[in-house]
Amino acid sequence: MELSLDVLGLLFLVAGLAGFIDAIAGGGGLLTVPALLAAGVPPTQALATNKLQGSFGSFSASLYFVRNGLVNLPEMRNAIIFTFIGAATGAELVQRIDAGVLTQLIPILLVCISLYFLFAPQVGQGGGKPKLSENLFALSVGTSIGFYDGFFGPGAGALYTICFVAIAQFGLVEATARTKILNFTSNFAALLFFIFAGLPVWEIGIIMAVGGFIGARMGAKVVISKGRKLIRPMVVITSMCMAIKLLVEQNPQWFQ
């Protein structure tokens, strides 16, 4: 499909802002998916194109965190493997089963995440004893949230972060860095299935990918420099925004 240079420029800027937000707290899809739909991209192709540009953004942030020593990839090997399997399964099954129950549940989970980060005074300081072994965490969290990200997607970053904080007992900065590794894994796994189906709009996705890559790099720098003081309110705000957006879409009669 053909779009004017003005529209492509706006999509580039939206992707940059989304990448910046996503690197800090997740939720960049709140901006990019509606922007793609507003530009006239059909819904299924919009989701696929969003995975394309989102993969570049999550890769950019992941690379920055790895290079700055916040993540040791060999230590996350099992989590990466199970997340890939879960996301690939979700991307395959999304075309075959009803997502209704899942979409109704996610806003509730996002509100709970917001309240947890808002009212738990010591959250995100890290240093506690993990509540699951590393392998069990990889199997349960990686597979389940990876499946969700491949199947549906909104709020996956917040779900990863809350698990790294509440279950694995990482500090917020370390949890955010690890979240981006698994975000990239699930984005990439789902993207492969969308590519096989011929769904991404490449000319749009690549332009947005450049914006997302730049924005995510800037966001990753902010995570390291500002840390917990910024991540905590951003997680609360983005989780609440995603919950409200999903509730409006699912129950428009409530807001008439």
Side-chain angles (χ1 to χ4, degrees):
M1 61 185 300
E2 293 186 6
L3 296 177
S4 68
L5 290 177
D6 290 344
V7 173
L8 290 174
L10 285 173
L11 289 173
F12 173 87
L13 293 175
V14 169
L17 178 59
F20 179 83
I21 295 172
D22 210 50
I24 300 172
L30 279 174
L31 300 176
T32 51
V33 173
L36 285 163
L37 294 172
V41 181
T44 304
Q45 288 185 289
L47 292 174
T49 305
N50 184 59
K51 283 297 183 186
L52 171 60
Q53 68 87 25
S55 293
F56 279 79
S58 55
F59 173 77
S60 173
S62 298
L63 182 63
Y64 189 81
F65 289 136
V66 170
R67 286 181 171 177
N68 281 271
L70 269 72
V71 178
N72 185 332
L73 287 179
E75 292 179 356
M76 294 193 66
R77 180 182 64 249
N78 290 340
I80 291 170
I81 291 171
F82 285 118
T83 298
F84 188 96
I85 293 171
T89 305
E92 176 66 18
L93 292 181
V94 69
Q95 304 175 43
R96 306 186 183 190
I97 60 179
D98 181 18
V101 175
L102 188 60
T103 58
Q104 293 291 330
L105 178 63
I106 290 303
I108 299 171
L109 292 177
L110 290 172
V111 170
C112 291
I113 289 171
S114 298
L115 295 176
Y116 178 79
F117 277 102
L118 186 61
F119 292 111
Q122 304 301 317
V123 66
Q125 292 187 353
K129 182 179 179 181
K131 298 179 181 179
L132 291 177
S133 69
E134 187 174 314
N135 288 336
L136 188 55
F137 181 92
L139 175 62
S140 58
V141 173
T143 304
S144 59
I145 302 180
F147 174 86
Y148 167 71
D149 200 14
F151 187 83
F152 187 50
L159 294 174
Y160 283 128
T161 300
I162 192 70
C163 289
F164 276 118
V165 169
I167 299 175
Q169 296 293 303
F170 283 108
L172 262 178
V173 173
E174 293 78 11
T176 301
R178 285 163 173 77
T179 289
K180 296 321 296 179
I181 300 296
L182 298 189
N183 251 159
F184 169 69
T185 301
S186 51
N187 280 343
F188 183 69
L191 175 61
L192 289 178
F193 278 80
F194 288 133
I195 290 174
F196 293 149
L199 292 173
V201 182
W202 287 94
E203 57 270 29
I204 298 174
I206 293 299
I207 289 172
M208 294 183 72
V210 175
F213 188 95
I214 296 170
R217 178 59 59 91
M218 295 171 63
K221 289 182 179 180
V222 170
V223 167
I224 292 178
S225 63
K226 301 296 182 181
R228 184 172 178 267
K229 291 181 180 179
L230 181 63
I231 298 171
R232 181 171 173 169
M234 284 287 287
V235 170
V236 172
I237 292 169
T238 55
S239 295
M240 288 300 295
C241 287
M242 282 186 284
I244 293 169
K245 178 178 182 291
L246 291 171
L247 285 171
V248 170
E249 291 175 348
Q250 295 165 10
N251 306 280
Q253 69 276 8
W254 293 0
F255 305 90
Q256 292 178 353

